[in-house]
Amino acid sequence: MPTAYRWPLGDTAHARLRDRVLKVTGVDLLPDDRTSQRYGELLSAGDPTAERFVAETYRGELGPEAARELLDRALDKGIDAVDDAPPSMRDLFVEFDSLPDWAEPEQIAAGAAVWRRWAYALGGVGNAGTMDTYTEGSLAVPLSLAGGYAGERALNRYLETSRWWIEVSRPGAILRPGSLARAITMRVRVMHVSVRAGVRRHDEWDDERWGLPISQSEMMLTLLGGSVGPAMGLYGLGYITSKAELESSLVFNRYLGYLLGVRVDDIYPRTISDGLRLLYLFDATRSHDSGSAGAELVESFVPGFAPRPDAGRRDRLRAWYHLQTQSGYARLFMLPQNRRRFDLPGGWVGVGLLLAQVPARLIGEVVRRIVPGVDTRLQARSVANWERWHAWQSERPAEFAAPSQLRR
């Protein structure tokens, strides 16, 4: 088990938090011993099926360009249409194309609808939560080495992630063979394998200390960052996600994880309380060892929304709004003790802008539950606004490709 993983049962601050939550809500934040042990073990587990494919094709005789063309053909026409597909590729697609017993299509569809309601806010609160995790070297070092979320490129990589969020949340898209949503998801899975291999060979990576880059446990955390995590925060901004909707979002994220190669069925949360326990487990086992890598990632992101020097007045005002809004999300949803580690904009103007939207949003949440058809229209409007922002903010098409080499 990685040496950075420590479960501080005697930590006074976490014990007080646990007692307080238990008293107020009746929820015990302490995971059982099996979950805690398994979480630690999965910090050293990767994605063997996709790793065999990448080793045989991208790093084999085919080479990256031919392997990418082969993958695109299989995603476009189906694996059965690719006569020259190597065995590892067929194994990958058999796994990718199968529907697990627990993957109930109606719940997946309901979970995708939750993302459509959250829309732009999913990115705002999700990124604040992600920046909060950059205290950890196991998470920050791979991203710093790959470079996508560092420096001037941080916003572009976030836009790629947003494109994926938009596509997988479209009605029926993630279950539809040949959809853009599934194609992007497979490319992200392959990208993870390539980055994992490159980072693991790098001198800055320490297997004994951190386990495996982009491990099963860390990928599972991103699934909680698309379900339980944002739901808890967004209640305060007027997004009233019901228990049934939130449980559906857990299934939706679990299926996204399945397509991405996440295999944590034995500890993946079935309930909201289970999800909160895993988030608590991560927070209680932090090492705070990311150093300059974490600081660069956090301090690169929000400034990326600043107006461009050559922007016109209208575009500068629009950029200013998004800059303030993202600063507001960071102010609200990063833990104060972690936020103080980094140099970030104040965010209070953004907090005001976000809170000003709460009354109208609460009205919408009430009306969508009592008037037929309103929920569907609200989802469509939220996604349309999300896409308009994405098209305006984007300078180039999303690529979803691993870097040809690490930045240092």
Side-chain angles (χ1 to χ4, degrees):
M1 194 175 297
T3 58
Y5 174 73
R6 292 288 183 271
W7 178 225
L9 290 174
D11 184 280
T12 304
H14 284 98
R16 284 200 301 266
L17 174 62
R18 177 198 175 196
D19 291 343
R20 191 177 301 120
V21 171
L22 181 61
K23 182 178 180 180
V24 173
T25 68
V27 175
D28 188 352
L29 289 177
L30 186 66
D32 60 44
D33 291 341
R34 182 193 63 82
T35 299
S36 178
Q37 175 74 18
R38 186 63 176 144
Y39 176 89
E41 293 169 353
L42 289 168
L43 288 168
S44 297
D47 180 5
T49 304
E51 286 161 5
R52 284 193 294 271
F53 163 68
V54 170
E56 185 176 8
T57 57
Y58 282 74
R59 295 199 296 270
E61 292 183 5
L62 277 178
E65 186 173 342
R68 192 176 300 112
E69 291 175 358
L70 196 69
L71 181 65
D72 288 345
R73 190 157 27 115
L75 290 169
D76 183 41
K77 299 180 180 179
I79 188 65
D80 292 336
V82 184
D83 295 333
D84 52 343
S88 63
M89 186 176 188
R90 294 193 179 279
D91 291 343
L92 176 62
F93 273 82
V94 165
E95 183 181 281
F96 188 78
D97 290 337
S98 65
L99 189 68
D101 293 340
W102 50 260
E104 171 55 51
E106 289 185 2
Q107 280 198 297
I108 292 171
V114 172
W115 273 23
R116 293 194 297 273
R117 291 187 200 101
W118 292 345
Y120 181 89
L122 170 64
V125 70
N127 275 292
T130 299
M131 288 191 291
D132 192 85
T133 69
Y134 290 157
T135 60
E136 304 309 289
S138 63
L139 293 165
V141 169
L143 293 174
S144 177
L145 290 174
Y149 282 96
E152 296 179 356
R153 290 175 288 183
L155 180 57
N156 287 326
R157 182 50 62 91
Y158 169 62
L159 290 167
E160 287 190 353
T161 303
S162 297
R163 181 79 264 163
W164 179 71
W165 287 335
I166 290 168
E167 294 301 332
V168 299
S169 65
R170 294 190 191 281
I174 199 60
L175 288 168
R176 187 167 59 248
S179 69
L180 179 57
R182 291 177 68 86
I184 292 174
T185 303
M186 176 62 87
R187 293 187 185 107
V188 170
R189 184 173 180 178
V190 170
M191 177 178 66
H192 284 170
V193 172
S194 299
V195 172
R196 182 183 295 124
V199 169
R200 196 176 187 188
R201 293 192 298 267
H202 198 278
D203 291 343
E204 291 184 33
W205 186 259
D206 187 338
D207 271 356
E208 184 177 346
R209 183 180 186 185
W210 291 319
L212 197 68
I214 318 178
S215 69
Q216 288 285 323
S217 288
E218 290 164 340
M219 289 192 292
M220 180 180 64
L221 287 175
T222 68
L223 305 181
L224 298 179
S227 53
V228 174
M232 296 300 103
L234 289 174
Y235 278 121
L237 293 181
Y239 293 88
I240 310 302
T241 305
S242 70
K243 180 176 180 288
E245 289 167 346
L246 186 45
E247 288 174 346
S248 293
S249 81
L250 279 168
V251 177
F252 172 62
N253 277 271
R254 186 181 181 187
Y255 182 61
L256 294 179
Y258 173 83
L259 296 178
L260 288 166
V262 184
R263 300 292 182 269
V264 292
D265 288 349
D266 51 345
I267 65 169
Y268 187 82
R270 271 54 167 187
T271 67
I272 299 167
S273 296
D274 287 343
L276 292 174
R277 290 186 188 99
L278 283 166
L279 291 173
Y280 174 76
L281 176 62
F282 166 75
D283 190 56
T285 56
R286 288 183 192 248
S287 299
H288 298 285
D289 59 354
S290 64
S292 61
E296 180 189 29
L297 293 173
V298 173
E299 293 167 11
S300 294
F301 180 71
V302 173
F305 288 85
R308 300 185 184 100
D310 59 345
R313 180 178 299 178
R314 183 177 180 182
D315 283 340
R316 289 184 67 82
L317 180 61
R318 192 173 184 181
W320 176 88
Y321 172 81
H322 290 290
L323 172 65
Q324 298 302 325
T325 300
Q326 292 295 327
S327 297
Y329 280 117
R331 166 61 66 179
L332 287 172
F333 298 115
M334 288 184 73
L335 293 174
Q337 64 269 29
N338 296 330
R339 180 187 167 83
R340 285 193 292 268
R341 294 171 176 269
F342 308 110
D343 182 15
L344 287 168
W348 293 113
V349 173
V351 170
L353 291 171
L354 291 170
L355 293 180
Q357 300 169 27
V358 171
R361 188 167 294 116
L362 286 173
I363 293 171
E365 287 288 335
V366 172
V367 173
R368 78 176 176 89
R369 286 171 166 80
I370 59 179
V371 179
V374 168
D375 188 23
T376 302
R377 291 196 293 274
L378 286 175
Q379 290 175 39
R381 188 178 70 180
S382 293
V383 173
N385 291 337
W386 199 12
E387 288 199 274
R388 262 195 306 273
W389 161 78
H390 190 276
W392 170 79
Q393 190 83 68
S394 299
E395 293 183 335
R396 60 175 184 244
E399 297 175 347
F400 303 100
S404 56
Q405 60 183 15
L406 299 179
R407 63 198 287 244
R408 62 178 185 275

